[in-house]
Amino acid sequence: EGIGVQEYTCVKLQTLEWSDRAKEVLGDKIPKDAKVYFIPATLRPETVYGMTCCFVGPKVNYGVFSLSPEKNEYVVATPRAARNMAYQNLSPGWGVITKIAGLVGSDLVGTLVNAPLSAYKDGIRILPMESLKDNKGTAVVACVPSDSPDDYATTLELQKKPEFYGIKKEWVDKEIVPLIETPKGNLIAKTLYEELGINSPKDAKPLAEAKEVAYKLGFYQGTMIFGDYAGKSVQDARTLVGKQLSDEDLAFKYAE
Ligand code: A2H
């Protein structure tokens, strides 16, 4: 980790239906009428249109933490993220952490969540990403396979072996819609995955390169071709989508 501060946008994906395993573990721990959000931390809020699912680390420990008692809102995050949030006015009080339940990522797989601005109005699934780091952001990642090579790699892997990962094929078989036109076409993640001869999410080195190239081309030279800000530069859209999501109380800033 560097010495700089990274500012993420956490998008609020409201839980619509818990997985069977999560239901068992949670029992009656979630208060009545509570809203529980998965909060993927993203550097690219303008890509929310292309969310096809949401990733957790299957072996990572998560908790359900109070975000706002007034609004009866809770978040799923790592204890580490909850601690950071408690000093950013994202908890019941300064430095106050209220954990109401603990789960491991694999318990959460299959949970259905709402995906604001995405094409999937009936929601998207929580799916496993083995390469996800437990010490970055909230350890929850919005899967945008059009623009993130890591997300594309895990999507292909899950599509190849759904039974092995304990998921239904239809949860991961989603159309990948082009969001951003770049100097290397409009499905930059797929293009780089193929160009660099990547075969799996375990190909860490070429994936790191793909991630860097995709980020540079998409962020600095990309133009939106989908959604409310089609025609605008990615940098402008990033600000506009970020603002729209916060105004609608569908996202908040989180730094670490
Ligand atoms: B980004 P940085 Cl479309 N483990 O969001 C692994 N990856 C994580 C993570 C974790 N615990 N927490 C966040 N991330 C991902 C969107 C996106 C992202 C696109 C393109 C590039 C991209 C959709 N996924 O990131 O190390 C999240 O994926 C490329 C840099 O803090 C987050 O933004 O620089 C990004 O990594 C944060 O990475």
Side-chain angles (χ1 to χ4, degrees), residues 225-238:
I225 53 171
F226 187 94
D228 303 326
Y229 306 104
K232 293 211 183 291
S233 72
V234 163
Q235 293 193 56
D236 288 348
R238 178 182 195 253

Side-chain angles (χ1 to χ4, degrees), residues 6-9 40-48 51 55 62 80 129 131-151 179-180 211-212 214-215 256:
Q6 190 73 273
E7 190 182 59
Y8 296 100
T9 297
T42 178
L43 297 173
R44 305 281 308 272
E46 78 286 358
T47 65
V48 290
M51 253 188 284
F55 293 129
Y62 295 88
R80 180 190 151 281
M129 178 188 236
S131 61
L132 188 146
K133 297 190 182 76
D134 64 357
N135 62 352
K136 182 193 285 196
T138 51
V140 178
V141 172
C143 174
V144 183
S146 53
D147 292 274
S148 160
D150 288 325
D151 300 352
L179 300 181
I180 295 170
K211 177 174 167 172
E212 198 179 316
Y215 192 79
E256 63 180 35

Side-chain angles (χ1 to χ4, degrees), residues 70-218:
E70 295 78 28
K71 295 199 277 181
N72 203 11
E73 291 183 323
Y74 295 80
V75 294
V76 176
T78 54
R80 180 190 151 281
R83 209 175 310 121
N84 290 334
M85 290 173 66
Y87 296 98
Q88 298 176 38
N89 294 321
L90 298 169
S91 80
W94 181 253
V96 178
I97 300 163
T98 309
K99 179 177 168 181
I100 61 167
L103 308 100
V104 57
S106 57
D107 296 336
L108 297 165
V109 168
T111 296
L112 185 68
V113 296
N114 180 41
L117 305 189
S118 86
Y120 301 103
K121 298 300 166 209
D122 298 330
I124 57 173
R125 297 288 171 169
I126 301 297
L127 298 178
M129 178 188 236
E130 310 249 347
S131 61
L132 188 146
K133 297 190 182 76
D134 64 357
N135 62 352
K136 182 193 285 196
T138 51
V140 178
V141 172
C143 174
V144 183
S146 53
D147 292 274
S148 160
D150 288 325
D151 300 352
Y152 183 74
T154 295
T155 297
L156 285 193
E157 174 72 10
L158 296 176
Q159 285 174 341
K160 269 185 230 160
K161 301 190 242 168
E163 310 80 23
F164 177 81
Y165 289 102
I167 63 168
K168 288 194 186 150
K169 198 156 191 296
E170 75 235 37
W171 293 350
V172 70
D173 267 348
K174 301 281 172 80
E175 192 193 345
I176 303 181
V177 180
L179 300 181
I180 295 170
E181 187 65 49
T182 81
K184 259 187 183 294
N186 63 22
L187 285 174
I188 188 83
K190 177 176 194 282
T191 301
L192 290 168
Y193 186 93
E194 289 167 3
E195 227 177 74
L196 296 173
I198 301 170
N199 285 307
S200 98
K202 291 197 174 121
D203 290 342
K205 218 168 157 226
L207 269 171
E209 186 185 339
K211 177 174 167 172
E212 198 179 316
V213 175
Y215 192 79
K216 284 198 179 132
L217 292 177

